Amino acid sequence: MMIRAYPEIYVSKAQTVLGDAFDYAINTCGIPGEDFIRFFTASLISRRLENGEPAVLAGKSGIEIAVDIVLETTGKMLSVDPQQNFERSREYWIGWAICYYQWYSDKNFDDIFKVLSFADLQMMYQTLHEADITKFIEITDDRIKRGNKSTNLKRIRTIYGCTQAQLAKNSGVSLRSIQMYEQRNKDINKASAETLYRISKVLGCNMEDLIEK
């Protein structure tokens, strides 16, 4: 059973806060959606929301959150008066849905937005905004899995039938380095020629086969 950052009873409030933040920043203040996503993922607010900090979950409104995000990342103060909306906008739904998915999956907002652009989310709204949230989860999970396809190193190693530990032992390349290359936490394209040669020799492939295009 997955242990999530905060109890489910707070999710609805968090969704409302992030939905209002997206709606206010994009529709009222005129910030392009992709820009606001960039500001949000770069801000401390995103990490605090991921961690379930009460001050973010329930201590501030979505408008206050949007103001904090933009001030922190750009140094500019949003001062546009909020508009009274009687219907939930597309941008509200985007923040609302992403907030739920982040809580449900326990993934970082930054990782989610790496595979879901603002344009992607706008298109998803057309068919999903009236559907159960589980449909959004299913589609987003699939997008993330496809976006995180295996590296060439992992693919070749798996075909060869070699474990990471065996590859490390036989190549002399540290296990940690191999793990980081496969997780894309370390760029194999920047590895030394000696490292590529040692790995390729063990796996019976060309050095170029390990390079990510």
Side-chain angles (χ1 to χ4, degrees), residues 9 15 18-20 22 39 46 49 54 61 80 97-98 100 119 125 134 142 144 152 190 198:
I9 58 172
Q15 287 178 274
L18 196 57
D20 284 340
F22 269 68
F39 299 156
S46 65
L49 186 55
S61 69
V80 183
I98 285 294
Y100 188 91
Y125 170 82
T134 55
D142 182 63
I144 287 178
N152 290 335
K190 296 179 181 178
R198 288 183 176 185

Side-chain angles (χ1 to χ4, degrees), residues 99-160:
C99 185
Y100 188 91
Y101 182 77
Q102 187 282 318
W103 172 83
Y104 179 86
S105 67
D106 202 33
K107 299 181 187 301
N108 296 331
F109 283 112
D110 189 42
D111 291 336
I112 298 169
F113 284 120
K114 282 178 181 176
V115 296
L116 283 179
S117 68
F118 183 69
D120 291 332
L121 290 161
Q122 285 180 308
M123 289 188 289
M124 292 170 76
Y125 170 82
Q126 302 302 324
T127 55
L128 296 179
H129 73 282
E130 293 183 348
D132 189 90
I133 191 66
T134 55
K135 187 64 177 175
F136 178 78
I137 291 170
E138 178 185 330
I139 292 174
T140 304
D141 274 342
D142 182 63
R143 289 289 297 269
I144 287 178
K145 286 176 183 176
R146 286 190 284 116
N148 292 333
K149 64 181 181 180
S150 297
T151 60
N152 290 335
L153 172 58
K154 183 175 181 179
R155 178 177 55 80
I156 294 170
R157 179 182 61 75
T158 302
I159 292 172
Y160 189 80

Side-chain angles (χ1 to χ4, degrees), residues 3-98:
I3 299 177
R4 298 186 170 93
Y6 53 95
E8 189 171 5
I9 58 172
Y10 297 112
V11 177
S12 179
K13 172 62 176 175
Q15 287 178 274
T16 298
V17 166
L18 196 57
D20 284 340
F22 269 68
D23 180 64
Y24 173 70
I26 298 168
N27 291 325
T28 303
C29 299
I31 299 173
E34 290 290 0
D35 288 349
F36 186 66
I37 285 174
R38 191 172 70 253
F39 299 156
F40 171 62
T41 55
S43 72
L44 290 175
I45 292 292
S46 65
R47 259 85 74 197
R48 294 174 67 191
L49 186 55
E50 289 167 355
N51 294 332
E53 291 188 21
V56 177
L57 290 178
K60 293 189 175 184
S61 69
I63 294 170
E64 290 172 322
I65 290 295
V67 169
D68 287 349
I69 290 169
V70 174
L71 181 61
E72 177 192 342
T73 55
T74 71
K76 297 178 181 179
M77 174 66 74
L78 296 179
S79 57
V80 183
D81 291 335
Q83 300 172 351
Q84 188 171 15
N85 296 324
F86 296 100
E87 294 184 0
R88 300 303 189 189
S89 68
R90 176 180 57 185
E91 287 67 30
Y92 174 92
W93 177 84
I94 289 172
W96 177 90
I98 285 294

